[in-house]
Amino acid sequence: MRSYLLFACLCLWCRTVTAQQSLSDSLQKRLSQPLPDTTRVLVLEQLARTQMYAQPFVAMKHIQEGLRIAQRIGYQRGEARVLNRMGTIFRITGNYDRSLQAHLAAISVAEVHNDLEVLARTYNNLGNLYVEQANWSKSIEYFNKARAFADQLNN
């Protein structure tokens, strides 16, 4: 029974890795084509999402490029999404101070445009950050904020 369970977990993991690699390849291919800058920012953010656990430093390069483009063209929704993803990558690599800074910057940008989706996701990620630091009261505070924004989105 134990070996069967191990085999099933291994199969699911391989399937997940293959799916992520396929999506990553597809996004890389898309980036090699001419794209509007706003689309390029979103594709870079999606690509970083597919790579952030297995290759966080590669993912960070994509995020930094997306941030430069978003700021250059004044695409604040994209900037907020990229900053949120940047905060998550910093958390994954253990840089909690930079993670907090990036998430708070994402909130500042998202609040200007009342971007409820980015606010919900970013507050949720702040909750995750504080869970990793075993700061339960802060994590609950941010999870509750995330839920309030998600409720407004009917999610």
Side-chain angles (χ1 to χ4, degrees), residues 58-120:
V58 173
M60 184 60 80
K61 287 182 181 182
H62 295 305
I63 283 301
Q64 289 170 336
E65 181 182 351
L67 182 59
R68 279 191 299 274
I69 295 169
Q71 289 176 335
R72 186 190 74 216
I73 65 173
Y75 180 39
Q76 291 190 321
R77 177 167 164 69
E79 182 180 355
R81 287 181 67 162
V82 166
L83 285 166
N84 180 41
R85 184 70 58 206
M86 181 180 280
T88 300
I89 296 169
F90 279 132
R91 178 181 53 82
I92 290 166
T93 58
N95 193 336
Y96 296 142
D97 291 337
R98 299 275 310 267
S99 176
L100 179 62
Q101 290 172 356
H103 286 310
L104 293 176
I107 288 170
S108 293
V109 174
E111 283 178 337
V112 171
H113 298 286
N114 198 31
D115 190 334
L116 300 179
E117 181 183 347
V118 172
L119 288 167

Coordinates of all heavy atoms in Angstrom, one line a residue, residues 58-120:
V58 N 15.7 32.8 -12.1 CA 15.2 33.1 -13.5 C 13.9 33.8 -13.5 O 13.7 34.8 -14.3 CB 15.1 31.7 -14.3 CG1 14.5 31.9 -15.7 CG2 16.5 31.0 -14.4
A59 N 13.0 33.4 -12.7 CA 11.7 34.0 -12.6 C 11.9 35.5 -12.2 O 11.2 36.4 -12.7 CB 10.8 33.3 -11.5
M60 N 12.8 35.8 -11.3 CA 13.0 37.2 -10.9 C 13.5 38.0 -12.1 O 13.1 39.2 -12.2 CB 14.0 37.2 -9.7 CG 14.2 38.6 -9.2 SD 12.7 39.4 -8.5 CE 12.6 38.6 -6.9
K61 N 14.3 37.5 -12.9 CA 14.8 38.2 -14.1 C 13.6 38.6 -15.0 O 13.5 39.7 -15.5 CB 15.8 37.4 -14.9 CG 17.1 37.3 -14.3 CD 18.1 36.6 -15.1 CE 19.4 36.5 -14.4 NZ 20.5 35.8 -15.1
H62 N 12.6 37.7 -15.2 CA 11.4 38.0 -15.9 C 10.6 39.1 -15.3 O 10.1 40.0 -15.9 CB 10.6 36.8 -16.2 CG 11.3 35.7 -17.0 ND1 11.8 36.0 -18.2 CD2 11.5 34.4 -16.7 CE1 12.3 34.9 -18.7 NE2 12.2 33.9 -17.8
I63 N 10.5 39.0 -13.9 CA 9.7 40.0 -13.2 C 10.3 41.3 -13.3 O 9.7 42.4 -13.4 CB 9.5 39.5 -11.7 CG1 8.5 38.4 -11.7 CG2 9.2 40.6 -10.8 CD1 7.1 38.8 -12.2
Q64 N 11.6 41.4 -13.2 CA 12.3 42.7 -13.2 C 12.1 43.3 -14.6 O 11.9 44.5 -14.7 CB 13.8 42.5 -12.9 CG 14.0 42.2 -11.4 CD 15.5 41.8 -11.1 OE1 16.2 41.3 -12.0 NE2 15.8 42.0 -9.9
E65 N 12.2 42.5 -15.7 CA 11.9 43.0 -17.0 C 10.5 43.6 -17.1 O 10.2 44.6 -17.6 CB 12.2 42.0 -18.1 CG 12.0 42.5 -19.5 CD 12.2 41.4 -20.5 OE1 12.6 40.3 -20.2 OE2 11.8 41.7 -21.7
G66 N 9.5 42.8 -16.6 CA 8.1 43.2 -16.6 C 7.9 44.5 -15.9 O 7.2 45.4 -16.3
L67 N 8.6 44.6 -14.7 CA 8.5 45.9 -13.9 C 9.0 47.1 -14.7 O 8.4 48.1 -14.7 CB 9.2 45.7 -12.6 CG 9.1 46.9 -11.6 CD1 7.6 47.2 -11.3 CD2 9.9 46.5 -10.3
R68 N 10.2 46.9 -15.3 CA 10.8 48.0 -16.1 C 9.8 48.5 -17.2 O 9.6 49.7 -17.4 CB 12.1 47.6 -16.7 CG 13.3 47.6 -15.8 CD 14.6 47.5 -16.5 NE 14.7 46.2 -17.2 CZ 15.2 45.1 -16.6 NH1 15.5 45.1 -15.3 NH2 15.3 44.0 -17.3
I69 N 9.2 47.5 -17.9 CA 8.3 47.9 -19.0 C 7.1 48.5 -18.4 O 6.6 49.6 -18.9 CB 7.9 46.6 -19.8 CG1 9.2 46.0 -20.5 CG2 6.8 46.9 -20.8 CD1 8.9 44.6 -21.1
A70 N 6.5 47.9 -17.4 CA 5.2 48.5 -16.8 C 5.5 49.9 -16.3 O 4.6 50.8 -16.6 CB 4.8 47.6 -15.7
Q71 N 6.6 50.2 -15.7 CA 6.8 51.5 -15.2 C 7.1 52.5 -16.3 O 6.7 53.6 -16.3 CB 8.0 51.5 -14.2 CG 7.6 50.8 -12.9 CD 8.7 50.7 -11.9 OE1 9.9 50.6 -12.3 NE2 8.4 50.6 -10.6
R72 N 7.8 52.0 -17.4 CA 8.2 52.9 -18.5 C 6.9 53.4 -19.2 O 6.8 54.5 -19.6 CB 9.1 52.1 -19.5 CG 9.6 53.0 -20.6 CD 10.3 52.3 -21.6 NE 9.3 51.6 -22.4 CZ 9.4 50.4 -22.9 NH1 10.5 49.7 -22.8 NH2 8.5 49.8 -23.6
I73 N 5.9 52.5 -19.4 CA 4.7 52.8 -20.1 C 3.6 53.3 -19.2 O 2.5 53.6 -19.7 CB 4.3 51.6 -21.0 CG1 3.8 50.4 -20.2 CG2 5.3 51.3 -22.0 CD1 3.2 49.3 -21.0
G74 N 3.8 53.3 -17.9 CA 2.7 53.7 -17.0 C 1.6 52.8 -16.9 O 0.5 53.2 -16.6
Y75 N 1.9 51.5 -17.0 CA 0.9 50.4 -16.9 C 0.8 50.0 -15.5 O 1.4 49.0 -15.0 CB 1.2 49.3 -17.9 CG 0.3 48.1 -17.9 CD1 -1.1 48.3 -17.8 CD2 0.8 46.8 -18.0 CE1 -2.0 47.2 -17.8 CE2 -0.1 45.7 -18.0 CZ -1.4 45.9 -17.9 OH -2.3 44.9 -18.0
Q76 N 0.0 50.7 -14.7 CA -0.1 50.4 -13.2 C -0.7 49.1 -12.8 O -0.2 48.5 -11.9 CB -0.7 51.6 -12.5 CG 0.1 52.9 -12.6 CD -0.4 54.0 -11.8 OE1 -1.6 54.2 -11.7 NE2 0.5 54.7 -11.2
R77 N -1.7 48.6 -13.6 CA -2.2 47.3 -13.2 C -1.2 46.2 -13.4 O -1.0 45.4 -12.5 CB -3.5 47.0 -14.1 CG -4.0 45.6 -13.8 CD -5.4 45.4 -14.5 NE -5.8 44.1 -14.6 CZ -6.2 43.3 -13.5 NH1 -6.1 43.7 -12.3 NH2 -6.5 42.0 -13.7
G78 N -0.4 46.3 -14.5 CA 0.7 45.4 -14.7 C 1.8 45.6 -13.6 O 2.3 44.6 -13.2
E79 N 2.1 46.8 -13.3 CA 3.1 47.1 -12.3 C 2.7 46.4 -10.9 O 3.5 45.8 -10.3 CB 3.3 48.6 -12.1 CG 4.3 48.9 -11.1 CD 4.5 50.4 -10.9 OE1 3.9 51.2 -11.7 OE2 5.3 50.8 -10.0
A80 N 1.4 46.6 -10.6 CA 0.9 46.0 -9.3 C 1.0 44.4 -9.3 O 1.5 43.8 -8.4 CB -0.5 46.4 -9.0
R81 N 0.7 43.8 -10.4 CA 0.7 42.4 -10.6 C 2.2 41.9 -10.5 O 2.5 40.9 -9.8 CB 0.1 41.9 -11.9 CG -1.4 42.0 -11.9 CD -2.0 41.5 -13.2 NE -1.8 40.1 -13.3 CZ -2.4 39.3 -14.1 NH1 -3.3 39.9 -14.9 NH2 -2.2 38.0 -14.2
V82 N 3.1 42.6 -11.2 CA 4.5 42.2 -11.2 C 5.1 42.4 -9.8 O 5.9 41.5 -9.3 CB 5.2 43.0 -12.3 CG1 6.7 42.9 -12.1 CG2 4.8 42.6 -13.7
L83 N 4.8 43.5 -9.1 CA 5.3 43.7 -7.8 C 4.8 42.6 -6.8 O 5.6 42.1 -5.9 CB 4.9 45.1 -7.3 CG 5.7 46.3 -7.8 CD1 5.0 47.6 -7.5 CD2 7.1 46.3 -7.3
N84 N 3.6 42.2 -7.0 CA 3.0 41.1 -6.1 C 3.8 39.8 -6.4 O 4.2 39.2 -5.4 CB 1.5 41.0 -6.4 CG 1.0 39.9 -5.5 OD1 1.3 39.7 -4.3 ND2 0.1 39.0 -6.1
R85 N 4.0 39.5 -7.6 CA 4.8 38.3 -8.0 C 6.2 38.4 -7.5 O 6.8 37.4 -7.0 CB 4.8 38.1 -9.5 CG 5.4 36.8 -9.9 CD 4.7 35.6 -9.6 NE 3.3 35.6 -10.1 CZ 2.3 34.9 -9.6 NH1 2.4 34.2 -8.5 NH2 1.1 35.0 -10.1
M86 N 6.8 39.6 -7.6 CA 8.1 39.8 -7.1 C 8.2 39.5 -5.6 O 9.1 38.9 -5.1 CB 8.6 41.2 -7.3 CG 10.0 41.6 -6.9 SD 10.4 43.3 -7.2 CE 10.9 43.1 -9.0
G87 N 7.2 40.0 -4.8 CA 7.2 39.7 -3.4 C 7.1 38.2 -3.1 O 7.7 37.7 -2.2
T88 N 6.4 37.5 -3.9 CA 6.3 36.0 -3.7 C 7.6 35.4 -4.0 O 8.0 34.5 -3.2 CB 5.2 35.5 -4.6 OG1 3.9 36.1 -4.3 CG2 5.0 34.0 -4.4
I89 N 8.3 35.8 -5.0 CA 9.6 35.2 -5.3 C 10.6 35.5 -4.2 O 11.4 34.7 -3.8 CB 10.1 35.7 -6.7 CG1 9.2 35.2 -7.8 CG2 11.5 35.2 -6.9 CD1 9.4 35.8 -9.2
F90 N 10.6 36.7 -3.7 CA 11.4 37.1 -2.6 C 11.1 36.2 -1.4 O 12.0 35.7 -0.7 CB 11.3 38.5 -2.2 CG 12.1 39.5 -3.0 CD1 11.6 40.6 -3.5 CD2 13.5 39.2 -3.3 CE1 12.3 41.5 -4.3 CE2 14.2 40.1 -4.0 CZ 13.6 41.3 -4.6
R91 N 9.8 35.9 -1.1 CA 9.4 35.1 0.0 C 10.0 33.7 -0.2 O 10.5 33.0 0.7 CB 7.9 35.0 0.2 CG 7.5 34.1 1.3 CD 6.0 34.0 1.4 NE 5.2 33.7 0.2 CZ 5.0 32.5 -0.3 NH1 5.6 31.4 0.3 NH2 4.3 32.3 -1.4
I92 N 9.8 33.1 -1.4 CA 10.3 31.8 -1.7 C 11.8 31.7 -1.5 O 12.3 30.6 -1.0 CB 10.0 31.4 -3.2 CG1 8.4 31.2 -3.3 CG2 10.7 30.2 -3.7 CD1 7.9 31.2 -4.7
T93 N 12.6 32.7 -1.8 CA 14.0 32.7 -1.6 C 14.4 33.1 -0.2 O 15.6 33.1 0.1 CB 14.7 33.6 -2.7 OG1 14.3 34.9 -2.5 CG2 14.5 33.1 -4.1
G94 N 13.5 33.3 0.6 CA 13.8 33.6 2.0 C 14.1 35.1 2.4 O 14.5 35.4 3.5
N95 N 13.9 36.0 1.4 CA 14.2 37.4 1.6 C 12.9 38.1 2.0 O 12.2 38.7 1.3 CB 14.8 38.0 0.3 CG 15.4 39.4 0.6 OD1 15.0 40.0 1.6 ND2 16.3 39.8 -0.3
Y96 N 12.6 37.9 3.3 CA 11.3 38.3 3.8 C 11.1 39.8 3.8 O 10.0 40.4 3.6 CB 11.0 37.8 5.2 CG 10.9 36.3 5.2 CD1 11.4 35.5 6.3 CD2 10.3 35.6 4.2 CE1 11.3 34.1 6.3 CE2 10.2 34.2 4.2 CZ 10.7 33.5 5.3 OH 10.6 32.1 5.3
D97 N 12.2 40.6 4.1 CA 12.1 42.0 4.1 C 11.8 42.6 2.7 O 10.9 43.5 2.6 CB 13.4 42.7 4.6 CG 13.6 42.4 6.1 OD1 12.7 42.2 6.8 OD2 14.8 42.5 6.5
R98 N 12.5 42.1 1.7 CA 12.2 42.5 0.4 C 10.8 42.1 -0.1 O 10.2 42.8 -0.9 CB 13.3 42.0 -0.6 CG 14.7 42.5 -0.3 CD 15.1 43.8 -0.9 NE 14.9 44.1 -2.2 CZ 15.7 43.9 -3.2 NH1 16.9 43.4 -3.0 NH2 15.4 44.2 -4.5
S99 N 10.4 40.9 0.4 CA 9.1 40.4 0.0 C 8.0 41.4 0.6 O 7.1 41.8 -0.2 CB 8.9 39.0 0.6 OG 7.5 38.6 0.4
L100 N 8.2 41.8 1.8 CA 7.2 42.7 2.4 C 7.2 44.0 1.6 O 6.1 44.6 1.3 CB 7.6 42.9 3.9 CG 6.7 43.9 4.6 CD1 5.3 43.4 4.7 CD2 7.3 44.1 6.1
Q101 N 8.4 44.5 1.3 CA 8.5 45.8 0.5 C 7.7 45.7 -0.8 O 7.0 46.6 -1.2 CB 9.9 46.2 0.3 CG 10.7 46.6 1.5 CD 12.2 46.8 1.3 OE1 12.7 46.5 0.2 NE2 12.9 47.3 2.3
A102 N 8.0 44.6 -1.5 CA 7.4 44.5 -2.8 C 5.8 44.3 -2.7 O 5.1 44.9 -3.5 CB 8.0 43.2 -3.6
H103 N 5.4 43.6 -1.7 CA 3.9 43.4 -1.6 C 3.3 44.7 -1.2 O 2.2 45.1 -1.7 CB 3.6 42.3 -0.5 CG 3.8 40.9 -1.0 ND1 3.3 40.5 -2.2 CD2 4.5 39.9 -0.5 CE1 3.6 39.2 -2.4 NE2 4.4 38.8 -1.3
L104 N 3.9 45.5 -0.3 CA 3.3 46.8 0.1 C 3.3 47.7 -1.1 O 2.4 48.5 -1.2 CB 4.1 47.3 1.3 CG 3.9 46.5 2.6 CD1 4.8 47.1 3.7 CD2 2.5 46.5 3.0
A105 N 4.4 47.7 -1.9 CA 4.4 48.5 -3.1 C 3.3 48.1 -4.0 O 2.6 49.0 -4.6 CB 5.7 48.4 -3.8
A106 N 3.0 46.8 -4.2 CA 1.9 46.4 -5.0 C 0.6 46.9 -4.5 O -0.3 47.3 -5.3 CB 1.9 44.8 -5.1
I107 N 0.4 46.9 -3.2 CA -0.9 47.4 -2.6 C -1.0 48.9 -2.9 O -2.1 49.3 -3.3 CB -0.9 47.1 -1.1 CG1 -1.1 45.6 -0.9 CG2 -2.0 47.9 -0.4 CD1 -0.9 45.1 0.5
S108 N 0.1 49.6 -2.7 CA 0.0 51.1 -3.0 C -0.4 51.4 -4.4 O -1.3 52.2 -4.6 CB 1.4 51.7 -2.7 OG 1.7 51.7 -1.4
V109 N 0.1 50.6 -5.4 CA -0.2 50.9 -6.8 C -1.7 50.4 -7.0 O -2.5 51.1 -7.7 CB 0.7 50.1 -7.7 CG1 0.3 50.2 -9.2 CG2 2.2 50.7 -7.5
A110 N -2.1 49.2 -6.5 CA -3.4 48.7 -6.7 C -4.5 49.5 -6.1 O -5.6 49.6 -6.6 CB -3.5 47.3 -6.2
E111 N -4.2 50.2 -4.9 CA -5.2 51.0 -4.3 C -5.6 52.2 -5.1 O -6.7 52.7 -5.1 CB -4.7 51.4 -2.9 CG -4.8 50.3 -1.9 CD -4.2 50.7 -0.5 OE1 -3.4 51.7 -0.4 OE2 -4.6 50.1 0.5
V112 N -4.6 52.7 -5.8 CA -4.9 53.9 -6.6 C -6.0 53.7 -7.6 O -6.8 54.5 -7.9 CB -3.6 54.4 -7.4 CG1 -3.8 55.5 -8.4 CG2 -2.5 54.9 -6.4
H113 N -6.0 52.5 -8.2 CA -7.0 52.1 -9.2 C -8.1 51.2 -8.7 O -8.9 50.6 -9.5 CB -6.3 51.5 -10.4 CG -5.4 52.4 -11.1 ND1 -5.8 53.5 -11.8 CD2 -4.0 52.5 -11.1 CE1 -4.8 54.2 -12.3 NE2 -3.7 53.6 -11.8
N114 N -8.1 51.0 -7.4 CA -9.1 50.1 -6.7 C -9.1 48.7 -7.5 O -10.2 48.2 -7.8 CB -10.5 50.7 -6.7 CG -11.4 50.0 -5.7 OD1 -10.9 49.5 -4.7 ND2 -12.7 50.0 -6.0
D115 N -7.9 48.2 -7.7 CA -7.8 46.9 -8.4 C -8.0 45.8 -7.3 O -7.1 45.3 -6.7 CB -6.4 46.8 -9.0 CG -6.3 45.6 -9.9 OD1 -7.0 44.6 -9.7 OD2 -5.4 45.7 -10.9
L116 N -9.3 45.4 -7.2 CA -9.6 44.4 -6.2 C -9.0 43.1 -6.3 O -8.6 42.4 -5.3 CB -11.2 44.2 -6.2 CG -12.0 45.5 -5.9 CD1 -13.5 45.1 -6.0 CD2 -11.6 46.1 -4.6
E117 N -8.8 42.6 -7.5 CA -8.1 41.3 -7.7 C -6.7 41.3 -7.2 O -6.2 40.4 -6.5 CB -8.1 40.9 -9.2 CG -7.5 39.5 -9.4 CD -7.5 39.2 -10.9 OE1 -8.1 39.8 -11.7 OE2 -6.7 38.2 -11.2
V118 N -5.9 42.3 -7.6 CA -4.5 42.4 -7.1 C -4.5 42.6 -5.6 O -3.6 42.0 -4.9 CB -3.8 43.5 -7.9 CG1 -2.4 43.8 -7.3 CG2 -3.6 43.2 -9.4
L119 N -5.4 43.4 -5.1 CA -5.4 43.6 -3.6 C -5.7 42.3 -2.9 O -5.0 42.0 -1.9 CB -6.5 44.7 -3.3 CG -6.1 46.1 -3.7 CD1 -7.3 47.0 -3.6 CD2 -4.9 46.6 -2.8
A120 N -6.7 41.5 -3.4 CA -7.0 40.3 -2.8 C -5.8 39.3 -2.8 O -5.4 38.7 -1.8 CB -8.2 39.6 -3.4

